[in-house]
Amino acid sequence: MTHVLLVCMANVCRSPMACAVARQLASRQGRGAGWTFDSAGTHAQAGKRLDARAQAVLLQRQYTPLKTRSRPVTMQDLDRFDLILAMDEANLVSLKRLAPPGAHSKLRLLLSFAPALGVLDVPDPYYGDQAGFERVLDLIEAGVKGLLASSSSWRA
């Protein structure tokens, strides 16, 4: 079983979107039993709901939004998860500050699994419009597909 934590800042749009996509794509590939996915935020306030625009974009593409509430990354997460994927460089830096040096090897950017895109950051769509959420979902889908396709290469 591979345990993956997806991390953004507030845990109300990017990381919950990535978690929903990852769960469903793994399941569609018949690999759902081998993976667990969760999401958290580096600056999350516990209990916030998924952004309505994120939910709408997920539903438009046939993804089931998770019915969880936001939560912050914890020290236990750094031990429990095999791979911790930040949505952008700023959140990766925050994770590196929080994590003990021995856990740094499990910290990566989600889009490091989609090098053909030519970008590493999934931008924060929160202060933008619906098109920003659609672009974010495109990037997340590419990153998750790359992760699932290269599941053994990151373990080195």
Side-chain angles (χ1 to χ4, degrees):
M1 180 73 70
T2 302
H3 305 281
V4 180
L5 182 66
L6 299 140
V7 179
C8 66
M9 183 178 280
N11 192 219
V12 295
C13 51
R14 292 176 291 172
S15 57
M17 288 171 70
C19 191
V21 169
R23 285 181 181 179
Q24 284 183 243
L25 290 181
S27 179
R28 287 178 194 165
Q29 292 179 11
R31 300 172 64 197
W35 296 80
T36 63
F37 298 96
D38 195 3
S39 69
T42 57
H43 296 80
Q45 295 178 359
K48 299 274 185 183
R49 292 181 188 264
L50 177 66
D51 184 280
R53 296 163 296 174
Q55 182 170 336
V57 168
L58 287 169
L59 290 170
Q60 285 171 358
R61 295 210 199 159
Q62 319 290 294
Y63 292 107
T64 303
L66 305 174
K67 296 187 179 185
T68 59
R69 301 224 180 213
S70 63
R71 71 174 186 86
V73 175
T74 66
M75 291 301 289
Q76 293 80 12
D77 290 332
L78 300 170
D79 289 331
R80 188 168 52 117
F81 288 92
D82 302 308
L83 189 60
I84 301 171
L85 300 176
M87 296 297 117
D88 59 37
E89 186 67 35
N91 284 294
L92 183 60
V93 168
S94 293
L95 287 167
K96 287 179 178 177
R97 284 189 197 128
L98 177 65
H104 284 202
S105 63
K106 59 173 80 177
L107 305 176
R108 303 262 310 258
L109 290 169
L110 173 64
L111 293 186
S112 68
F113 292 98
L117 292 175
V119 297
L120 289 174
D121 285 356
V122 176
D124 190 345
Y126 189 78
Y127 293 105
D129 60 13
Q130 194 71 15
F133 282 84
E134 292 168 6
R135 171 73 176 135
V136 162
L137 189 51
D138 291 340
L139 294 170
I140 286 170
E141 286 175 328
V144 169
K145 287 174 183 175
L147 169 66
L148 295 172
S150 66
S151 62
S152 61
S153 66
W154 56 266
R155 296 174 197 244

